[in-house]
Amino acid sequence: MTSTSYELVLRQGRLLRADGTIDQVDIAIAAGRIVAIGPELEPGTFELDLEESLISPPFVESHIHLDSALTAGEPRWNQSGTLFEGIEIWRERKQNLSLEDIKTRAIETLKQQAMQGVLYVRSHADVSEQNLVALKGLLEVREAVKDWITLQVVAFPQDGIYGGPKNDALMEEALKLGADVVGGIPHYELTREDGVKSVHRIFELAQQYDRLIDIHCDEIDDDHARFLEVVVACAIRSGLGERVTASHTTAFGSYNNAYANKLLGFIRRTSINFVVNPLINITLQGRTDTYPKRRGLTRVKELWQQGTNVSLGHDCVQDPWYSMGTGNMLDVAFMLVHVAQMTGIAEINACYDMITYQGAKTLNLASDYGIEVGKPANLIVLDAIDRYDAIRRRATVKHVISQGQLIASTNAPLMQWQR
Ligand code: FE2
């Protein structure tokens, strides 16, 4: 590679490597790929002075619902703040979905995410509605945005696979249309037996259509919601392991320790992924508690300590379940530090890894993820010193480079003491 073929050279950045070390380097990009990393590279056609800002792999959003994003208050506000009132409001709102409605809100949300450093997204699409408008809309969006963001779409049966006579057929139709991932919601199936049956059905469909699995699992404070053990058993027997994700699993925080410890041991026999959504679950859960009030979070620290892959999701942005947020993954990591009490320095750094490398693992992104010569030039530049500083200040993402192109820049706020 001669110097004249560098299309873009990033100068004087501080590169966060996969092992957590940081080196000051230049990075050269050509034809959408990283072609050189090192000190004092030759000039490129374009140059960007990073002023010693932190270079990181992009953020990975492991769990969001783009189909319901930006609908808070439509047709009414969620007054109880519960998951179940949210499902009822969404059931009303989704009666008049159109492809344009879905696509407009999804692309707007994706732009907000990308401008804040997210370049990989897994979105659930509600497939309990008979025309599959949400799914079809998000599949069109996946194609429309592929030049600047990678979108995975989960066929998510919001009302349960067995909650209505047509729901099972709608799930299968969604996979035939091209959904990347099979979803589920066993704790919201009408009976315990239906919930167990739904998990078996999800694994059957995933194997039949060669898709990943991501199940909303035990998102309730009920300590008898024990579908995670069914997911783990199916993962062990099928060998699907890292292709399987259990999302939320908030009931895990309410299980007695004897049962929880047994379950942690079973989880060690698989390589399934967990997705945690601390922004939303700290607000949704504990709503039927008086005091003491539970935090409504799965056992993040224990899962992380035993080497299980955990990544993070914003889950909702301005919708019937969660009216806050902008899609910023540093907000998610910041909340996890608090709610899961991940306050040791290694724990804080792990929270950052949960929105980068560990998210990439959940999404089964190929070895393309990361900042190395030969890989696609997907990276972000933060106004931060290191991972701890990035989370502490929820640092501004100054530049976003996707497939070799600078797609967004933001000026970090400048505070001036005037006295
Ligand atoms: Fe969700």
mmCIF file of all heavy atoms in Angstrom, residues 48-79:
data_model
loop_
_atom_site.group_PDB
_atom_site.id
_atom_site.type_symbol
_atom_site.label_atom_id
_atom_site.label_comp_id
_atom_site.label_asym_id
_atom_site.label_seq_id
_atom_site.Cartn_x
_atom_site.Cartn_y
_atom_site.Cartn_z
ATOM 1 N N LEU A 48 -7.852 13.839 9.248
ATOM 2 C CA LEU A 48 -8.675 14.272 10.378
ATOM 3 C C LEU A 48 -7.811 14.229 11.628
ATOM 4 O O LEU A 48 -7.284 13.164 11.989
ATOM 5 C CB LEU A 48 -9.857 13.303 10.511
ATOM 6 C CG LEU A 48 -11.065 13.727 11.332
ATOM 7 C CD1 LEU A 48 -11.667 15.027 10.837
ATOM 8 C CD2 LEU A 48 -12.120 12.612 11.297
ATOM 9 N N ASP A 49 -7.637 15.396 12.249
ATOM 10 C CA ASP A 49 -6.828 15.463 13.466
ATOM 11 C C ASP A 49 -7.712 15.108 14.662
ATOM 12 O O ASP A 49 -8.680 15.818 14.955
ATOM 13 C CB ASP A 49 -6.267 16.888 13.625
ATOM 14 C CG ASP A 49 -5.360 17.001 14.854
ATOM 15 O OD1 ASP A 49 -5.176 15.981 15.557
ATOM 16 O OD2 ASP A 49 -4.840 18.111 15.095
ATOM 17 N N LEU A 50 -7.388 14.023 15.337
ATOM 18 C CA LEU A 50 -8.235 13.554 16.445
ATOM 19 C C LEU A 50 -7.854 14.178 17.784
ATOM 20 O O LEU A 50 -8.524 13.925 18.790
ATOM 21 C CB LEU A 50 -8.189 12.030 16.539
ATOM 22 C CG LEU A 50 -8.622 11.277 15.274
ATOM 23 C CD1 LEU A 50 -8.717 9.783 15.568
ATOM 24 C CD2 LEU A 50 -9.943 11.777 14.728
ATOM 25 N N GLU A 51 -6.796 14.911 17.818
ATOM 26 C CA GLU A 51 -6.400 15.663 19.028
ATOM 27 C C GLU A 51 -6.358 14.776 20.268
ATOM 28 O O GLU A 51 -6.848 15.148 21.330
ATOM 29 C CB GLU A 51 -7.366 16.838 19.247
ATOM 30 C CG GLU A 51 -7.399 17.811 18.077
ATOM 31 C CD GLU A 51 -8.536 18.819 18.184
ATOM 32 O OE1 GLU A 51 -9.652 18.396 18.559
ATOM 33 O OE2 GLU A 51 -8.309 20.000 17.906
ATOM 34 N N GLU A 52 -5.834 13.577 20.093
ATOM 35 C CA GLU A 52 -5.648 12.625 21.195
ATOM 36 C C GLU A 52 -6.962 12.127 21.803
ATOM 37 O O GLU A 52 -7.009 11.692 22.958
ATOM 38 C CB GLU A 52 -4.713 13.199 22.267
ATOM 39 C CG GLU A 52 -3.347 13.551 21.701
ATOM 40 C CD GLU A 52 -2.329 13.899 22.764
ATOM 41 O OE1 GLU A 52 -2.681 13.885 23.959
ATOM 42 O OE2 GLU A 52 -1.172 14.168 22.388
ATOM 43 N N SER A 53 -8.026 12.190 21.023
ATOM 44 C CA SER A 53 -9.295 11.614 21.483
ATOM 45 C C SER A 53 -9.217 10.095 21.419
ATOM 46 O O SER A 53 -8.334 9.518 20.784
ATOM 47 C CB SER A 53 -10.441 12.104 20.606
ATOM 48 O OG SER A 53 -10.498 13.509 20.627
ATOM 49 N N LEU A 54 -10.183 9.448 22.080
ATOM 50 C CA LEU A 54 -10.189 7.982 22.173
ATOM 51 C C LEU A 54 -10.857 7.375 20.938
ATOM 52 O O LEU A 54 -11.977 7.747 20.581
ATOM 53 C CB LEU A 54 -10.964 7.574 23.434
ATOM 54 C CG LEU A 54 -10.906 6.100 23.833
ATOM 55 C CD1 LEU A 54 -9.503 5.719 24.309
ATOM 56 C CD2 LEU A 54 -11.931 5.811 24.940
ATOM 57 N N ILE A 55 -10.166 6.424 20.300
ATOM 58 C CA ILE A 55 -10.752 5.691 19.170
ATOM 59 C C ILE A 55 -11.257 4.354 19.699
ATOM 60 O O ILE A 55 -10.510 3.592 20.321
ATOM 61 C CB ILE A 55 -9.712 5.415 18.069
ATOM 62 C CG1 ILE A 55 -9.032 6.717 17.622
ATOM 63 C CG2 ILE A 55 -10.353 4.716 16.880
ATOM 64 C CD1 ILE A 55 -7.855 6.480 16.675
ATOM 65 N N SER A 56 -12.523 4.080 19.434
ATOM 66 C CA SER A 56 -13.143 2.854 19.948
ATOM 67 C C SER A 56 -13.873 2.142 18.818
ATOM 68 O O SER A 56 -14.327 2.786 17.866
ATOM 69 C CB SER A 56 -14.150 3.235 21.053
ATOM 70 O OG SER A 56 -15.018 2.168 21.363
ATOM 71 N N PRO A 57 -14.029 0.832 18.930
ATOM 72 C CA PRO A 57 -14.957 0.186 18.011
ATOM 73 C C PRO A 57 -16.364 0.751 18.254
ATOM 74 O O PRO A 57 -16.647 1.244 19.354
ATOM 75 C CB PRO A 57 -14.897 -1.303 18.374
ATOM 76 C CG PRO A 57 -13.901 -1.444 19.452
ATOM 77 C CD PRO A 57 -13.468 -0.098 19.913
ATOM 78 N N PRO A 58 -17.248 0.674 17.263
ATOM 79 C CA PRO A 58 -18.578 1.261 17.426
ATOM 80 C C PRO A 58 -19.364 0.591 18.554
ATOM 81 O O PRO A 58 -19.084 -0.546 18.931
ATOM 82 C CB PRO A 58 -19.265 0.977 16.086
ATOM 83 C CG PRO A 58 -18.189 0.593 15.153
ATOM 84 C CD PRO A 58 -17.075 0.029 15.957
ATOM 85 N N PHE A 59 -20.357 1.314 19.043
ATOM 86 C CA PHE A 59 -21.257 0.719 20.017
ATOM 87 C C PHE A 59 -22.199 -0.264 19.321
ATOM 88 O O PHE A 59 -22.552 -0.085 18.153
ATOM 89 C CB PHE A 59 -22.080 1.805 20.724
ATOM 90 C CG PHE A 59 -21.238 2.754 21.534
ATOM 91 C CD1 PHE A 59 -21.507 4.118 21.540
ATOM 92 C CD2 PHE A 59 -20.170 2.281 22.289
ATOM 93 C CE1 PHE A 59 -20.732 4.999 22.287
ATOM 94 C CE2 PHE A 59 -19.390 3.160 23.040
ATOM 95 C CZ PHE A 59 -19.672 4.522 23.029
ATOM 96 N N VAL A 60 -22.574 -1.287 20.076
ATOM 97 C CA VAL A 60 -23.515 -2.299 19.587
ATOM 98 C C VAL A 60 -24.778 -2.213 20.440
ATOM 99 O O VAL A 60 -24.709 -2.347 21.655
ATOM 100 C CB VAL A 60 -22.918 -3.719 19.692
ATOM 101 C CG1 VAL A 60 -23.917 -4.755 19.178
ATOM 102 C CG2 VAL A 60 -21.601 -3.801 18.927
ATOM 103 N N GLU A 61 -25.893 -1.953 19.804
ATOM 104 C CA GLU A 61 -27.199 -1.944 20.469
ATOM 105 C C GLU A 61 -27.773 -3.360 20.355
ATOM 106 O O GLU A 61 -28.179 -3.791 19.276
ATOM 107 C CB GLU A 61 -28.112 -0.928 19.774
ATOM 108 C CG GLU A 61 -29.578 -1.023 20.114
ATOM 109 C CD GLU A 61 -29.875 -0.850 21.583
ATOM 110 O OE1 GLU A 61 -30.028 0.303 22.029
ATOM 111 O OE2 GLU A 61 -29.958 -1.890 22.276
ATOM 112 N N SER A 62 -27.771 -4.096 21.466
ATOM 113 C CA SER A 62 -28.162 -5.513 21.405
ATOM 114 C C SER A 62 -29.673 -5.729 21.469
ATOM 115 O O SER A 62 -30.136 -6.846 21.224
ATOM 116 C CB SER A 62 -27.539 -6.287 22.577
ATOM 117 O OG SER A 62 -26.139 -6.314 22.476
ATOM 118 N N HIS A 63 -30.421 -4.675 21.813
ATOM 119 C CA HIS A 63 -31.854 -4.927 22.025
ATOM 120 C C HIS A 63 -32.639 -3.621 21.978
ATOM 121 O O HIS A 63 -32.559 -2.800 22.893
ATOM 122 C CB HIS A 63 -32.037 -5.596 23.395
ATOM 123 C CG HIS A 63 -33.431 -6.055 23.685
ATOM 124 N ND1 HIS A 63 -33.737 -7.356 23.998
ATOM 125 C CD2 HIS A 63 -34.605 -5.385 23.729
ATOM 126 C CE1 HIS A 63 -35.032 -7.472 24.221
ATOM 127 N NE2 HIS A 63 -35.590 -6.291 24.063
ATOM 128 N N ILE A 64 -33.370 -3.439 20.893
ATOM 129 C CA ILE A 64 -34.244 -2.259 20.805
ATOM 130 C C ILE A 64 -35.500 -2.654 20.039
ATOM 131 O O ILE A 64 -35.506 -3.671 19.322
ATOM 132 C CB ILE A 64 -33.519 -1.064 20.122
ATOM 133 C CG1 ILE A 64 -34.287 0.240 20.340
ATOM 134 C CG2 ILE A 64 -33.279 -1.333 18.655
ATOM 135 C CD1 ILE A 64 -33.514 1.499 19.972
ATOM 136 N N HIS A 65 -36.546 -1.869 20.229
ATOM 137 C CA HIS A 65 -37.802 -2.065 19.491
ATOM 138 C C HIS A 65 -37.998 -0.834 18.611
ATOM 139 O O HIS A 65 -38.580 0.165 19.038
ATOM 140 C CB HIS A 65 -38.976 -2.230 20.452
ATOM 141 C CG HIS A 65 -38.876 -3.454 21.306
ATOM 142 N ND1 HIS A 65 -39.644 -4.588 21.090
ATOM 143 C CD2 HIS A 65 -38.076 -3.752 22.359
ATOM 144 C CE1 HIS A 65 -39.325 -5.515 21.992
ATOM 145 N NE2 HIS A 65 -38.364 -5.030 22.769
ATOM 146 N N LEU A 66 -37.488 -0.892 17.376
ATOM 147 C CA LEU A 66 -37.604 0.264 16.485
ATOM 148 C C LEU A 66 -39.027 0.466 16.000
ATOM 149 O O LEU A 66 -39.404 1.575 15.616
ATOM 150 C CB LEU A 66 -36.676 0.088 15.277
ATOM 151 C CG LEU A 66 -35.165 0.177 15.538
ATOM 152 C CD1 LEU A 66 -34.388 -0.181 14.274
ATOM 153 C CD2 LEU A 66 -34.767 1.567 16.029
ATOM 154 N N ASP A 67 -39.843 -0.622 16.012
ATOM 155 C CA ASP A 67 -41.205 -0.468 15.482
ATOM 156 C C ASP A 67 -42.074 0.414 16.372
ATOM 157 O O ASP A 67 -42.970 1.091 15.900
ATOM 158 C CB ASP A 67 -41.876 -1.823 15.230
ATOM 159 C CG ASP A 67 -41.829 -2.754 16.429
ATOM 160 O OD1 ASP A 67 -41.234 -2.405 17.467
ATOM 161 O OD2 ASP A 67 -42.400 -3.870 16.336
ATOM 162 N N SER A 68 -41.783 0.424 17.665
ATOM 163 C CA SER A 68 -42.598 1.257 18.577
ATOM 164 C C SER A 68 -41.895 2.563 18.957
ATOM 165 O O SER A 68 -42.477 3.387 19.663
ATOM 166 C CB SER A 68 -42.935 0.465 19.848
ATOM 167 O OG SER A 68 -41.745 0.033 20.493
ATOM 168 N N ALA A 69 -40.667 2.759 18.491
ATOM 169 C CA ALA A 69 -39.900 3.948 18.894
ATOM 170 C C ALA A 69 -40.620 5.238 18.491
ATOM 171 O O ALA A 69 -41.307 5.291 17.464
ATOM 172 C CB ALA A 69 -38.510 3.917 18.252
ATOM 173 N N LEU A 70 -40.470 6.258 19.305
ATOM 174 C CA LEU A 70 -40.991 7.609 19.055
ATOM 175 C C LEU A 70 -42.524 7.650 19.010
ATOM 176 O O LEU A 70 -43.109 8.436 18.262
ATOM 177 C CB LEU A 70 -40.403 8.198 17.752
ATOM 178 C CG LEU A 70 -38.886 8.078 17.558
ATOM 179 C CD1 LEU A 70 -38.457 8.791 16.287
ATOM 180 C CD2 LEU A 70 -38.120 8.619 18.757
ATOM 181 N N THR A 71 -43.187 6.792 19.799
ATOM 182 C CA THR A 71 -44.655 6.832 19.856
ATOM 183 C C THR A 71 -45.173 7.151 21.261
ATOM 184 O O THR A 71 -46.369 6.988 21.520
ATOM 185 C CB THR A 71 -45.280 5.478 19.422
ATOM 186 O OG1 THR A 71 -44.896 4.467 20.381
ATOM 187 C CG2 THR A 71 -44.870 5.057 18.034
ATOM 188 N N ALA A 72 -44.322 7.573 22.177
ATOM 189 C CA ALA A 72 -44.772 7.815 23.560
ATOM 190 C C ALA A 72 -45.988 8.741 23.568
ATOM 191 O O ALA A 72 -46.008 9.756 22.878
ATOM 192 C CB ALA A 72 -43.642 8.435 24.378
ATOM 193 N N GLY A 73 -47.015 8.338 24.321
ATOM 194 C CA GLY A 73 -48.234 9.154 24.413
ATOM 195 C C GLY A 73 -49.278 8.847 23.362
ATOM 196 O O GLY A 73 -50.362 9.432 23.376
ATOM 197 N N GLU A 74 -48.963 7.913 22.435
ATOM 198 C CA GLU A 74 -49.906 7.586 21.352
ATOM 199 C C GLU A 74 -50.482 6.195 21.582
ATOM 200 O O GLU A 74 -49.712 5.239 21.596
ATOM 201 C CB GLU A 74 -49.208 7.600 19.991
ATOM 202 C CG GLU A 74 -48.570 8.930 19.639
ATOM 203 C CD GLU A 74 -47.733 8.852 18.358
ATOM 204 O OE1 GLU A 74 -47.761 7.809 17.660
ATOM 205 O OE2 GLU A 74 -47.025 9.814 18.082
ATOM 206 N N PRO A 75 -51.747 5.951 21.711
ATOM 207 C CA PRO A 75 -52.776 6.985 21.801
ATOM 208 C C PRO A 75 -52.919 7.552 23.208
ATOM 209 O O PRO A 75 -53.660 8.499 23.409
ATOM 210 C CB PRO A 75 -54.042 6.225 21.394
ATOM 211 C CG PRO A 75 -53.790 4.815 21.845
ATOM 212 C CD PRO A 75 -52.317 4.606 21.685
ATOM 213 N N ARG A 76 -52.212 6.990 24.182
ATOM 214 C CA ARG A 76 -52.310 7.531 25.545
ATOM 215 C C ARG A 76 -51.029 7.210 26.298
ATOM 216 O O ARG A 76 -50.247 6.352 25.876
ATOM 217 C CB ARG A 76 -53.528 6.944 26.280
ATOM 218 C CG ARG A 76 -53.534 5.427 26.390
ATOM 219 C CD ARG A 76 -54.898 4.890 26.827
ATOM 220 N NE ARG A 76 -54.969 3.446 26.664
ATOM 221 C CZ ARG A 76 -54.563 2.562 27.577
ATOM 222 N NH1 ARG A 76 -54.048 2.981 28.719
ATOM 223 N NH2 ARG A 76 -54.656 1.269 27.350
ATOM 224 N N TRP A 77 -50.803 7.893 27.366
ATOM 225 C CA TRP A 77 -49.609 7.712 28.189
ATOM 226 C C TRP A 77 -49.754 6.464 29.059
ATOM 227 O O TRP A 77 -50.869 6.123 29.463
ATOM 228 C CB TRP A 77 -49.419 8.948 29.073
ATOM 229 C CG TRP A 77 -47.995 9.175 29.474
ATOM 230 C CD1 TRP A 77 -47.446 8.860 30.678
ATOM 231 C CD2 TRP A 77 -46.954 9.760 28.696
ATOM 232 N NE1 TRP A 77 -46.114 9.209 30.683
ATOM 233 C CE2 TRP A 77 -45.781 9.763 29.484
ATOM 234 C CE3 TRP A 77 -46.886 10.270 27.395
ATOM 235 C CZ2 TRP A 77 -44.567 10.272 29.018
ATOM 236 C CZ3 TRP A 77 -45.672 10.761 26.940
ATOM 237 C CH2 TRP A 77 -44.533 10.766 27.739
ATOM 238 N N ASN A 78 -48.648 5.798 29.352
ATOM 239 C CA ASN A 78 -48.665 4.643 30.261
ATOM 240 C C ASN A 78 -48.656 5.167 31.699
ATOM 241 O O ASN A 78 -47.620 5.578 32.204
ATOM 242 C CB ASN A 78 -47.434 3.760 29.976
ATOM 243 C CG ASN A 78 -47.409 2.485 30.817
ATOM 244 O OD1 ASN A 78 -48.073 2.389 31.852
ATOM 245 N ND2 ASN A 78 -46.632 1.509 30.371
ATOM 246 N N GLN A 79 -49.829 5.174 32.324
ATOM 247 C CA GLN A 79 -49.944 5.784 33.654
ATOM 248 C C GLN A 79 -49.417 4.881 34.757
ATOM 249 O O GLN A 79 -48.860 5.355 35.748
ATOM 250 C CB GLN A 79 -51.405 6.150 33.946
ATOM 251 C CG GLN A 79 -51.987 7.188 32.995
ATOM 252 C CD GLN A 79 -51.326 8.562 33.116
ATOM 253 O OE1 GLN A 79 -50.540 8.816 34.024
ATOM 254 N NE2 GLN A 79 -51.637 9.450 32.182
#
